[in-house]
Amino acid sequence: MAGYVAAVQMECITGKIRENSTHIIRLLEQMKQKQPEVVLAVFPEMALYGYEKLEEISTRTSPSEIEENLKEIASVCQAQRLNAVVGAPYFGKTGLENALYFLNIQGVVQHVYSKMHLIETEKNVFVPGKSYGICQTPFGKIGFLICWDSAFPETGRTYAGAGVRLLAVSAAWENPYERQWELAVCGRSFDNDISVAASNCIGKSGGLRLAGQSMITDCLGNILAEKTDGREGFITADLDQMLTKEKRRGFGSQIEELKDEGEIKEDIRVFIGWKEGRK
């Protein structure tokens, strides 16, 4: 399938759901004007709320406000004929979760993924997610990771073993750890024979600055596009170039070897529209 993937780099206003939602919509519309072939846009971690004052989420917003604004973004996705991955709080049954919402081209929330590997400052705010999830799309299966999730090799391996071709990684990764961010993104790509669209925030988080450096890789861990200027905007890459296995020929695939050795298990939920199945 022809098309492009976009990784969005943006600065969010803490606690200002409406302003952030309007900004996301504006970026989606600008993106489609400049690159009509974009079929997937990945936004940063907590893009709808911001990544400061996380302990105030429950007093600054509500489930209904989050739902209302996600519906508006989803309707734009439908009108613009693209899918989007948007970071926002999720008010779960057991507590607040740091989540990604996959908004599909039909204008509905197809899946909500919650961050499993919380950093220390998040552990008093969020409960960790419990499971991986995959969304089926016309261009293949997509998996999801949030920031620190990407630092764990088993996350990419689990997805790759289930046939995921593209990882959407949303982050609020900070300076001065840009090198570690690049290693995490490119490492998961190279380890698992999988392409990655990685979106990071810019701006401030407490006393630290967020690193930006959003990037898109092919399945060998090569960076196809990268935003290094520290400014808002987006980068794109051709899906065919991202997903082709041509570069793996003559090099080898760790995932295929592990499958042959029986070390890859494929028990993972797949979300197809409103239906849930098993890989």
Side-chain angles (χ1 to χ4, degrees):
M1 174 183 173
Y4 282 75
V5 172
V8 181
Q9 189 161 286
M10 65 177 284
E11 183 171 2
C12 309
I13 307 171
T14 300
K16 301 294 185 181
I17 308 300
R18 168 52 61 188
E19 286 88 339
N20 291 326
S21 177
T22 300
H23 193 30
I24 289 169
I25 288 170
R26 186 182 305 118
L27 285 167
L28 286 171
E29 292 173 341
Q30 291 174 355
M31 185 186 305
K32 289 294 282 188
Q33 287 177 355
K34 293 181 179 179
Q35 187 83 63
E37 298 89 354
V38 170
V39 293
L40 173 68
V42 182
F43 286 83
E45 178 179 9
M46 296 296 288
L48 199 56
Y49 175 84
Y51 198 76
E52 282 194 289
K53 300 179 180 178
L54 299 176
E55 70 282 357
E56 297 179 10
I57 289 175
S58 296
T59 57
R60 282 176 173 251
T61 188
S62 64
S64 60
E65 185 181 26
I66 296 296
E67 181 179 359
E68 176 186 340
N69 283 275
L70 284 170
K71 282 183 178 179
E72 289 189 23
I73 298 170
S75 67
V76 173
C77 289
Q78 183 178 27
Q80 296 290 338
R81 306 298 296 164
L82 83 166
N83 308 276
V85 178
V86 178
Y90 175 70
F91 292 79
K93 293 180 180 179
T94 61
L96 194 64
E97 300 174 20
N98 183 342
L100 291 180
Y101 294 76
F102 181 71
L103 313 177
N104 67 21
I105 204 166
Q106 286 79 37
V108 298
V109 177
Q110 184 170 329
H111 177 51
V112 181
Y113 167 80
S114 295
K115 187 175 185 176
M116 292 189 287
H117 297 282
L118 303 175
I119 63 173
E120 285 302 316
T121 56
E122 295 174 330
K123 290 179 179 178
N124 292 329
V125 178
F126 301 115
V127 296
K130 301 297 184 184
S131 64
Y132 299 93
I134 295 172
C135 281
Q136 183 70 59
T137 75
F139 45 89
K141 295 176 182 176
I142 299 178
F144 308 92
L145 296 175
I146 301 177
C147 204
W148 190 231
D149 286 337
S150 65
F152 294 81
E154 65 272 16
T155 58
R157 179 173 295 182
T158 300
Y159 280 128
V164 165
R165 302 185 68 196
L166 173 64
L167 275 180
V169 180
S170 297
W173 201 288
E174 300 165 331
N175 286 328
Y177 306 111
E178 297 97 325
R179 175 57 176 157
Q180 287 69 33
W181 163 242
E182 182 179 333
L183 286 170
V185 173
C186 295
R188 298 300 74 76
S189 175
F190 171 68
D191 290 347
N192 300 294
D193 192 5
I194 197 168
S195 300
V196 179
S199 167
N200 197 23
C201 298
I202 57 171
K204 293 183 179 180
S205 175
L208 299 175
R209 293 199 65 82
L210 299 165
Q213 202 172 333
S214 300
M215 66 190 82
I216 300 174
T217 75
D218 65 12
C219 66
L220 199 56
N222 297 311
I223 297 175
L224 300 177
E226 186 175 21
K227 190 157 179 59
T228 59
D229 60 6
R231 299 178 180 178
E232 282 197 330
F234 58 89
I235 51 174
T236 62
D238 188 311
L239 264 172
D240 289 338
Q241 189 179 4
M242 292 174 66
L243 300 180
T244 181
K245 300 297 184 181
E246 186 66 32
K247 294 177 183 177
R248 281 277 176 177
R249 292 184 182 178
F251 183 86
S253 168
Q254 301 95 308
I255 288 299
E256 292 305 317
E257 283 193 31
L258 290 169
K259 282 183 178 179
D260 292 342
E261 295 167 7
E263 294 185 23
I264 293 286
K265 295 182 172 60
E266 300 188 358
D267 183 22
I268 188 167
R269 289 181 295 171
V270 180
F271 295 85
I272 307 170
W274 293 104
K275 298 180 181 179
E276 179 180 329
R278 285 278 178 181
K279 168 67 178 74

